[in-house]
Amino acid sequence: MERDYDLFERSQYNSPVWRGSVHGLENARRKLRELAKRTTNECFAIYSPTRQIVALLNIAEAGHLPPKRVVFQIAYDEHRLVTRAELLRHNGYEVLSVVGNEAAKIVLSSPQHCDLFSVGHAAAEQTRKEMVDWLKARYPHVKILALNQADHRQLADADYNVILNGPNEWLSVVTAAVS
């Protein structure tokens, strides 16, 4: 199912300026790259119903403050994606989110700055393993956090494995991983 995405550019006054809508993730990625080439301002694509940023280019550094750390989460459940993104933002992270491996591959096929990848738990082990392997091959220096259900095995190639039993443990791993 293809979705509609809105494209924004962050103005010099830090307010988002709408630059159009596109249908489909591949079109959003392509149009965002075109927009980012014409400006040095931060540009992002967002899925408006959930307010989830799916791509971010020309990451802005606000004055003398260090840039926010970017967590790219691949979720397999839209509700959990939104909840985790809100928690991460509340803790000071920039968050890029997609649902499923195919959406992640589309967004990440263009170079994307990320400090950490988070792979959700609500998919089959093989699906999650394929995503970890794909990320390791294309982003070998970026750490991967695998979120696991208690009855699932850990993903061997992930840098961090956390059994989900509330946000405290996985948020502490995020902090350690991006430090």
Side-chain angles (χ1 to χ4, degrees):
M1 173 181 80
E2 291 285 341
R3 296 176 166 179
D4 293 323
Y5 298 90
D6 289 310
L7 306 178
F8 290 90
E9 176 182 355
R10 192 166 309 281
S11 76
Q12 64 186 9
Y13 305 107
N14 206 29
S15 60
V17 178
W18 183 75
R19 296 297 184 201
S21 291
V22 295
H23 183 71
L25 195 52
E26 184 65 39
N27 289 332
R29 185 184 64 84
R30 184 178 46 78
K31 287 289 196 182
L32 191 66
R33 274 190 314 198
E34 291 171 10
L35 175 62
K37 286 179 184 176
R38 297 190 310 260
T39 182
T40 58
N41 293 336
E42 183 178 273
C43 301
F44 56 95
I46 190 169
Y47 177 58
S48 295
T50 60
R51 298 184 323 270
Q52 294 307 301
I53 296 172
V54 296
L56 178 66
L57 297 175
N58 299 346
I59 297 174
E61 293 187 27
H64 62 281
L65 298 175
K68 285 186 176 182
R69 296 297 192 171
V70 178
V71 176
F72 190 104
Q73 72 163 326
I74 299 109
Y76 302 96
D77 173 293
E78 185 116 14
H79 174 71
R80 288 184 176 104
L81 173 138
V82 172
T83 302
R84 288 187 191 125
E86 289 173 0
L87 279 167
L88 288 163
R89 281 193 192 93
H90 179 74
N91 282 276
Y93 298 100
E94 187 69 57
V95 183
L96 303 176
S97 301
V98 295
V99 175
N101 291 3
E102 292 309 310
K105 289 174 182 178
I106 289 170
V107 172
L108 295 169
S109 64
S110 297
Q112 192 73 231
H113 171 78
C114 302
D115 295 297
L116 178 70
F117 291 110
S118 171
V119 177
H121 72 287
E125 182 179 345
Q126 184 59 35
T127 301
R128 298 167 67 239
K129 182 183 178 329
E130 287 171 7
M131 189 74 250
V132 169
D133 292 345
W134 190 91
L135 291 169
K136 282 289 186 186
R138 283 156 186 81
Y139 291 84
H141 303 294
V142 180
K143 301 290 185 192
I144 301 171
L145 166 63
L147 304 173
N148 303 302
Q149 293 180 10
D151 58 341
H152 284 191
R153 293 187 327 198
Q154 295 186 351
L155 295 178
D157 291 331
D159 299 290
Y160 304 94
N161 279 276
V162 174
I163 294 174
L164 284 176
N165 59 358
N168 292 338
E169 185 175 351
W170 69 264
L171 280 172
S172 67
V173 172
V174 169
T175 301
V178 300
S179 296

